[in-house]
Amino acid sequence: MLLFSLYALAQQRAVTGTVQSRQNGAPLPGVTVQSGSNHAITNSEGRFTIQAAPGDVLSFSYIGMKPFTEKVGNSETPLSIQMEENATDLNQVVVTGYQSQKKADLTGAVAVVNVKEIRDIPLGNPVKALQGRVPGVFVTTDGNPNSNATVRIRGVGTLGNNDPLYVVDGIPTKRGLQELNQNDIESIQVLKDASAATIYGSRAANGVIIVTTKRAKQGYSRINVDVSSSLQYYNTKLKTLDAEGRGRAYWQAAVNDHSDPNNNQIYQYDWNGDYNNPVLNKINMPEFIDAAKTMHPANTYWFDEVAQTSLLQTYNISLANGGERGNSFFSVSMYNNKGIVKETNQQKITARFNTDYSFFKGRLKIGENLSASYIKDALVPFSDILFTALVQQPVVPVHTVSGGWGGPAPGMTDRQNPVRLIEDNKQNKSNFVRLFGNAFADLEIIPNLHLKSSYGIDYSGTYQRTLRKSYTSGFLADPSNYVQTYQDYNGNWVWQNTLTYNLELQKHRFDFLAGTEQIKYLQQNFTASRQGYALENIDYAYLNAGSTNKDNTGNGSGYTLMSYFGKVNYVYDNKYLASVTLRRDGSSRFGSDNRFGMFPAFSLGWRVSEEPFIQSNLPFVSDLKLRYGWGKSGNQEIANNATYTLYSAIYGIDPTWDFDTGSAYDLGGTGTGQLPSGYTLIQQGNPSLKWESTMESNMGMDFGLFDNKLSGSVDYFIKKTSDILISPAYLAVIGEGGTRFANGASMQNKGLEILLSYNGNLAPGLGFTVTGNVATYRNKITKLPEEVLTSYPGNGQDKTILGRSINSTFGYIADGLFRSQKEVDEAPDQIGKGVGRIRYKDLNGDRIINDKDRDYIGKGDPNFTYGVNVSLEYKHFDLSFFFQGVQGIQVYNTYKTYTDFASIWPGTNWGSRTLDAWTPQHADATIPALTLVDRNNENRTSTYFLEPGSYLKLRNLQLGYNFQHLFSKRLQTARIYLQGSNLLTFKSKSFTATDPENPNNAYPIPVIGTIGVNLSF
């Protein structure tokens, strides 16, 4: 035997080679190569050297890749190994809260995001790119360069703040990820159910999104450069009337009312004067539309005046270097988004520095994760700009004959010139700085026993100095100017200490976690303003330069959290899984009697695929796991001083808006100085306030078939929230200071989530991956105090929100139009009814249309949401496209108050749909007859404004080419790609606006075309 061993050893030689990704040809650093007792790790170029003899089998393993083996031959030619990605790799390590687990051992509802799919999408906020990619995670946003994203995990779970908790490198935050460079992200996990999220206790009721940023690895050195440039297009402009169309619609409305259409200040009509058979011959315009003769009539399409095709640019460079005792990662990025509304803009610079160093033979690791962000946002009032572009009349010119600002003329409503709003505010900017990160030390006390301490910070500050210029625009004028300076400072520190121990005893495996967490939040702000500036220049407009109306204000607040937590994970024989969690949270927002809340959770799992009866009888089952989890999590999102009775000395010196709330009066008439003051009760205290809590059960199944080529998961959950924190309405007889916080509501959500993925080859060399998901939930309010019922849709008596979705709409049922006088005469009494008017249903049968005929007419919850992502790879090309959709949702289309009516906003412009309104000659129309007076109260909440908001969007289409093979081996990655975002929208024909995702005058979502390059050295 000894001679045989010596012979085998003598045959060994140095075997060399390179390991690459089959998908993109990129070298894979950190791959473990093993041959018997010998092993090696690939370097930054994917190269390895290992001692092996001919006939030996080399095994290659790497997280996220399928295991690979290669037999050593007699040739000394370096090996070229290509490994395939394995999206369902059960050995993949997943971060789940203060610790990590193998994917195979998970028992909670944890979704793992494929970061590669969203890396190149230029949205400025990685959360926006999650839209439709994770079942049960519903993301809404708009196209504003500086907008955040609204995230709802498993629906609306409370009546207050529904935002999830974000945890970045272990540091919790509620701010979201808008300041994070998405190129820095290594992984994203979503903890959807309470059994997974309860470890975060008081902030986990709405789910948790965990982000881990990139770090360098030992033996890994890399420089990455990512550059992209995009063009953005405004392709959802609403069709409004031109000047002649506006005149024609006004004429028709006046004729329908049997009033003289020439009784207006702008248009004069040549018509036959027959109200029964009207014929319009010609519309005459005056030479000037204003008495001062400064504005010629125009034909302005205001959306074209405020819109632009804009440029979006992103630049990112990162450097990673891993050594034997230390690793460092540094990145810097720049993001510049010029929005599709003129002068809207965001400039963002982020920098990150992640390091770790090992001491005492690796037993002590010290490191930090630190990021800094600077964001400069334009403070252009885009909401007002988009609104006035919709309603300002087209006959108004942008400029007067002398070059001044055009504006509303007599007979028009007092709406601003949107171009003036842009030009007079483009100098106003917001400057934001954020520091976020932590420093940590991890000591291995004895093998597998780790003590980790982390101190983190999350501080931000904002500075704004804004100038409001004097102006004259039509009959609107303000000769004054105004400068305001605003500053805020807020953030928190967090100190975490955890003790973890991993224990293996034959077939038993335990993971123990115990820890504490302390967090202290603070916030303060200051505002000051002046008027009377000699120069309207932002470089001059500091506070000292103002001469009149000096004012200032400021406030601050804070709160603290103290938490204790523990968790035990147990695995037996890789088949039977269990986890138990307990967290105790204390918040300064509650009184001493209820300051602490206890949040337990447990989960169980059974890897059925490991059972012999499955392996022998169902060999196509690669993985099958059944899961059940239950947990209780908390919510403390109320005012910091909610438990206290509050009094305030209020200066009652505003006779217009605040005439009767003051407790201090300027008896001397000086307008300055300390005023004699009493105190006003502004809030009633409630020391009995306690934690809002959410209990959730989750039943799930994970499966993989045919060597995990087909894989997926199914989850069903029931989520009940009780003791919801609310600020209930109060009776007027209580008088001032009736505001208070209380625990007084309950809510329930039930839902189903399905994820399915297939990964295989359509043909030799043609890789194919398709992933689809669908999710649905049903929401209902199960309890509300009686005094609060009237604050929600319903009549507060026999028709209440109880048992219904919080997103329900309460109103009238529009039953078409009256098309004949006979229908009008036979209909129930309805004030303002007439031929061509909207007819409303008499629900209670009393022959009178009034508020007793209202009912629940719709809800804003979709029947289901879904997403489909397809990726193909062939040689050096890759193609991917992603569809996202919402089905069965109703939206309240407020645009219709402008597009379908002349009477609701008579002095504004109207939509082109008004030209298709009902007339005796167009009796089959569905749009009410035009009128100048809304006698029928057609602006009331009704089904006329409810429209199907279902849509399917081609969110992303990308074609890439990897040209690394054309260069030397020093270039590790070289890829160019073309990408389109929001290219196609499929919507219901019944939806009358432009974008069902954005039905109510929010910033439009642009179509984006991108070209980009990814390089690695």
Side-chain angles (χ1 to χ4, degrees):
M1 180 65 70
L2 178 62
L3 291 174
F4 179 79
S5 299
L6 292 173
Y7 175 78
L9 184 62
Q11 296 298 311
Q12 287 188 353
R13 60 178 173 82
V15 178
T16 62
T18 303
V19 183
Q20 296 176 314
S21 167
R22 173 167 292 181
Q23 276 71 17
N24 55 28
L28 296 177
V31 176
T32 299
V33 187
Q34 191 160 355
S35 174
S37 59
N38 298 329
H39 71 277
I41 304 292
T42 59
N43 64 11
S44 61
E45 298 177 349
R47 297 176 182 173
F48 68 90
T49 300
I50 190 171
Q51 295 294 319
D56 288 352
V57 175
L58 302 182
S59 61
F60 300 83
S61 59
Y62 188 72
I63 291 177
M65 295 288 180
K66 294 180 180 179
F68 186 84
T69 58
E70 178 77 6
K71 192 172 184 179
V72 178
N74 294 317
S75 172
E76 296 187 2
T77 303
L79 299 176
S80 179
I81 306 299
Q82 291 187 325
M83 300 185 71
E84 290 187 17
E85 289 186 5
N86 185 5
T88 58
D89 182 12
L90 299 178
N91 291 314
Q92 181 180 358
V93 177
V94 178
V95 179
T96 57
Y98 304 101
Q99 59 181 167
S100 57
Q101 292 176 265
K102 290 196 303 182
K103 194 174 180 179
D105 296 339
L106 294 177
T107 51
V110 180
V112 181
V113 178
N114 188 344
V115 177
K116 177 184 174 183
E117 294 177 353
I118 67 172
R119 182 188 62 183
D120 296 321
I121 301 176
L123 297 178
N125 184 344
V127 171
K128 293 183 180 182
L130 297 183
Q131 193 173 26
R133 296 184 182 272
V134 181
V137 179
F138 190 45
V139 181
T140 55
T141 184
D142 59 30
N144 192 351
N146 61 4
S147 69
N148 297 330
T150 299
V151 180
R152 297 292 176 259
I153 297 178
R154 294 186 163 179
V156 174
T158 182
L159 299 179
N161 189 325
N162 280 273
D163 295 336
L165 177 70
Y166 298 87
V167 180
V168 182
D169 292 327
I171 304 302
T173 179
K174 280 281 190 176
R175 279 197 59 87
L177 304 179
Q178 56 268 25
E179 288 96 35
L180 182 64
N181 173 15
Q182 65 190 48
N183 282 281
D184 288 345
I185 296 176
E186 180 74 26
S187 66
I188 299 177
Q189 284 80 233
V190 183
L191 312 185
K192 296 189 288 186
D193 75 325
S195 69
T198 293
I199 190 66
Y200 289 106
S202 64
R203 295 149 297 160
N206 299 316
V208 181
I209 297 178
I210 298 179
V211 177
T212 303
T213 60
K214 293 178 180 178
R215 310 188 68 83
K217 302 177 180 66
Q218 183 176 340
Y220 178 97
S221 296
R222 183 72 61 88
I223 299 175
N224 292 303
V225 178
D226 302 284
V227 178
S228 70
S229 183
S230 308
L231 287 177
Q232 301 183 100
Y233 304 92
Y234 188 167
N235 69 333
T236 55
K237 298 174 186 175
L238 203 66
K239 293 181 180 179
T240 54
L241 294 172
D242 60 12
E244 183 176 350
R246 181 28 168 95
R248 181 176 292 274
Y250 180 90
W251 172 82
Q252 185 66 64
V255 168
N256 289 345
D257 291 344
H258 284 237
S259 62
D260 183 4
N262 288 313
N263 187 21
N264 75 90
Q265 293 94 330
I266 303 296
Y267 297 99
Q268 292 297 299
Y269 302 97
D270 178 4
W271 69 298
N272 65 354
D274 185 351
Y275 289 101
N276 295 320
N277 295 288
V279 176
L280 177 62
N281 300 317
K282 185 179 180 181
I283 301 175
N284 296 310
M285 299 278 192
E287 183 181 0
F288 295 95
I289 64 173
D290 61 327
K293 298 184 178 181
T294 65
M295 294 184 288
H296 290 300
N299 188 23
T300 308
Y301 183 46
W302 291 101
F303 280 111
D304 278 349
E305 296 297 329
V306 303
Q308 65 179 2
T309 297
S310 67
L311 184 65
L312 187 160
Q313 295 172 291
T314 62
Y315 303 91
N316 180 78
I317 183 170
S318 65
L319 299 88
N321 186 52
E324 183 178 347
R325 291 195 173 184
N327 307 298
S328 62
F329 175 87
F330 172 76
S331 75
V332 62
S333 71
M334 190 197 80
Y335 173 84
N336 188 0
N337 184 352
K338 297 179 179 179
I340 57 175
V341 175
K342 291 178 180 178
E343 298 299 335
T344 56
N345 177 251
Q346 181 178 83
Q347 295 175 320
K348 177 167 60 177
I349 298 174
T350 64
R352 172 168 294 278
F353 191 48
N354 293 349
T355 64
D356 59 80
Y357 300 94
S358 297
F359 303 91
F360 308 120
K361 297 182 180 180
R363 290 181 57 194
L364 175 63
K365 180 181 286 187
I366 296 176
E368 51 79 31
N369 308 280
L370 181 64
S371 68
S373 306
Y374 169 72
I375 299 177
K376 188 175 185 178
D377 287 320
L379 294 179
V380 177
F382 66 88
S383 293
D384 294 337
I385 292 165
L386 291 168
F387 175 70
T388 52
L390 171 67
V391 301
Q392 184 58 269
Q393 294 202 26
V395 74
V396 174
V398 175
H399 295 287
T400 63
V401 293
S402 62
W405 291 116
M412 302 179 186
T413 49
D414 56 348
R415 300 297 183 254
Q416 295 284 357
N417 178 336
V419 179
R420 185 196 72 79
L421 292 177
I422 292 174
E423 291 299 316
D424 281 0
N425 287 279
K426 66 182 182 181
Q427 74 281 348
N428 297 328
K429 309 291 182 183
S430 173
N431 298 275
F432 174 86
V433 175
R434 185 186 186 193
L435 292 176
F436 183 93
N438 71 320
F440 64 89
D442 187 329
L443 174 65
E444 186 178 33
I445 301 174
I446 59 174
N448 298 323
L449 178 63
H450 287 258
L451 173 64
K452 184 176 181 179
S453 184
S454 167
Y455 186 86
I457 60 169
D458 180 8
Y459 287 109
S460 62
T462 303
Y463 174 78
Q464 300 172 2
R465 184 165 49 86
T466 57
L467 167 63
R468 188 194 71 200
K469 297 182 178 181
S470 60
Y471 68 90
T472 298
S473 176
F475 63 67
L476 296 175
D478 186 350
S480 67
N481 50 37
Y482 175 86
V483 169
Q484 182 183 80
T485 296
Y486 170 81
Q487 293 176 268
D488 73 32
Y489 165 76
N490 63 78
N492 66 277
W493 57 258
V494 52
W495 186 25
Q496 301 167 341
N497 294 280
T498 58
L499 193 65
T500 59
Y501 183 61
N502 302 326
L503 176 64
E504 291 192 27
L505 298 172
Q506 297 180 346
K507 295 184 178 181
H508 304 272
R509 189 165 75 245
F510 297 88
D511 295 331
F512 298 95
L513 166 70
T516 64
E517 184 176 72
Q518 299 177 57
I519 305 177
K520 185 173 183 178
Y521 291 81
L522 60 90
Q523 175 273 328
Q524 58 189 31
N525 62 66
F526 170 78
T527 305
S529 63
R530 290 190 184 185
Q531 289 183 273
Y533 286 80
L535 294 176
E536 293 184 343
N537 185 309
I538 194 65
D539 295 326
Y540 169 82
Y542 289 91
L543 291 176
N544 277 351
S547 58
T548 61
N549 293 339
K550 302 175 183 179
D551 194 14
N552 59 74
T553 184
N555 61 58
S557 65
Y559 70 98
T560 58
L561 283 167
M562 180 67 198
S563 306
Y564 309 89
F565 54 88
K567 186 176 184 178
V568 179
N569 298 321
Y570 171 67
V571 180
Y572 175 73
D573 198 20
N574 290 325
K575 301 179 186 177
Y576 311 111
L577 317 171
S579 179
V580 177
T581 303
L582 183 63
R583 180 161 179 136
R584 177 175 167 83
D585 275 322
S587 172
S588 64
R589 288 176 167 175
F590 299 105
S592 57
D593 293 341
N594 298 305
R595 181 151 292 162
F596 281 87
M598 195 75 74
F599 305 106
F602 74 89
S603 57
L604 303 171
W606 178 24
R607 294 194 64 202
V608 186
S609 55
E610 296 299 303
E611 298 290 354
F613 66 85
I614 293 291
Q615 295 175 344
S616 58
N617 296 312
L618 301 173
F620 62 88
V621 177
S622 311
D623 179 49
L624 178 60
K625 178 169 61 178
L626 303 180
R627 299 178 276 106
Y628 174 77
W630 177 92
K632 179 181 179 182
S633 50
N635 190 353
Q636 46 106 44
E637 293 296 328
I638 53 175
N640 296 334
N641 51 16
T643 61
Y644 300 104
T645 299
L646 302 179
Y647 297 86
S648 179
I650 303 173
Y651 281 11
I653 56 176
D654 184 347
T656 304
W657 304 108
D658 201 19
F659 62 92
D660 197 27
T661 60
S663 55
Y665 302 93
D666 187 12
L667 299 178
T670 61
T672 60
Q674 184 174 355
L675 306 184
S677 178
Y679 291 90
T680 300
L681 176 66
I682 60 173
Q683 177 180 290
Q684 294 183 6
N686 184 359
S688 299
L689 277 178
K690 59 183 179 181
W691 288 86
E692 176 182 318
S693 62
T694 298
M695 289 187 290
E696 183 174 8
S697 295
N698 189 94
M699 291 155 277
M701 176 179 68
D702 302 323
F703 61 89
L705 307 176
F706 311 110
D707 195 24
N708 282 322
K709 284 187 166 70
L710 179 65
S711 61
S713 64
V714 180
D715 283 274
Y716 175 76
F717 66 90
I718 302 175
K719 182 175 170 181
K720 298 179 180 179
T721 305
S722 58
D723 296 322
I724 293 178
L725 294 161
I726 60 174
S727 179
Y730 60 91
L731 297 175
V733 295
I734 294 177
E736 65 185 22
T739 300
R740 68 185 182 94
F741 287 90
N743 298 95
S746 299
M747 181 183 291
Q748 176 182 281
N749 282 344
K750 293 182 179 180
L752 180 69
E753 300 160 358
I754 301 173
L755 176 68
L756 193 63
S757 180
Y758 177 79
N759 184 3
N761 294 312
L762 293 178
L766 179 59
F768 173 75
T769 301
V770 58
T771 302
N773 72 82
V774 62
T776 181
Y777 77 94
R778 298 293 179 264
N779 169 272
K780 67 178 180 180
I781 301 292
T782 56
K783 177 186 175 184
L784 272 178
E786 289 187 9
E787 64 269 26
V788 179
L789 286 173
T790 54
S791 300
Y792 296 91
N795 61 14
Q797 300 171 6
D798 60 319
K799 297 176 182 178
T800 68
I801 195 72
L802 292 174
R804 301 181 183 274
S805 168
I806 188 61
N807 295 316
S808 298
T809 303
F810 189 74
Y812 296 86
I813 297 177
D815 190 23
L817 304 181
F818 290 108
R819 302 189 182 277
S820 68
Q821 189 59 44
K822 182 181 178 182
E823 288 185 7
V824 175
D825 295 339
E826 293 176 352
D829 290 342
Q830 177 180 314
I831 297 175
K833 67 179 180 178
V835 179
R837 303 266 53 85
I838 297 176
R839 174 173 50 197
Y840 298 100
K841 278 193 174 182
D842 179 17
L843 298 184
N844 64 353
D846 64 357
R847 302 289 297 172
I848 300 174
I849 303 299
N850 55 26
D851 59 2
K852 296 180 181 179
D853 295 302
R854 293 176 299 163
D855 205 344
Y856 289 92
I857 57 177
K859 63 180 180 65
D861 301 322
N863 289 341
F864 60 90
T865 60
Y866 59 100
V868 178
N869 190 79
V870 178
S871 300
L872 298 107
E873 296 182 354
Y874 180 72
K875 293 185 178 179
H876 303 294
F877 290 92
D878 60 88
L879 173 68
S880 65
F881 52 91
F882 174 62
F883 285 94
Q884 178 262 331
V886 175
Q887 185 63 37
I889 192 172
Q890 293 175 302
V891 296
Y892 200 83
N893 183 6
T894 57
Y895 279 126
K896 293 183 84 171
T897 62
Y898 304 98
T899 62
D900 290 24
F901 299 89
S903 56
I904 295 176
W905 299 100
T908 68
N909 194 19
W910 308 314
S912 60
R913 283 169 51 86
T914 53
L915 297 180
D916 196 34
W918 187 94
T919 65
Q921 296 76 26
H922 186 32
D924 60 345
T926 59
I927 298 172
L930 298 182
T931 177
L932 297 177
V933 181
D934 183 20
R935 298 180 180 88
N936 196 33
N937 187 20
E938 290 174 342
N939 196 27
R940 70 181 80 182
T941 302
S942 75
T943 55
Y944 186 84
F945 298 97
L946 276 178
E947 296 185 338
S950 303
Y951 67 83
L952 171 63
K953 291 195 173 188
L954 177 56
R955 284 290 181 196
N956 199 61
L957 174 64
Q958 186 181 106
L959 174 64
Y961 178 71
N962 190 326
F963 56 94
Q964 183 269 339
H965 61 284
L966 302 177
F967 294 88
S968 67
K969 293 184 178 181
R970 296 185 65 85
L971 191 62
Q972 304 297 322
T973 302
R975 178 175 175 268
I976 187 171
Y977 62 90
L978 295 173
Q979 182 171 253
S981 301
N982 303 314
L983 295 178
L984 294 173
T985 298
F986 303 93
K987 61 185 179 69
S988 170
K989 293 181 179 178
S990 301
F991 182 75
T992 60
T994 54
D995 188 355
E997 186 185 3
N998 188 8
N1000 295 313
N1001 206 43
Y1003 197 108
I1005 298 171
V1007 172
I1008 307 174
T1010 303
I1011 182 170
V1013 178
N1014 308 126
L1015 300 174
S1016 295
F1017 304 91

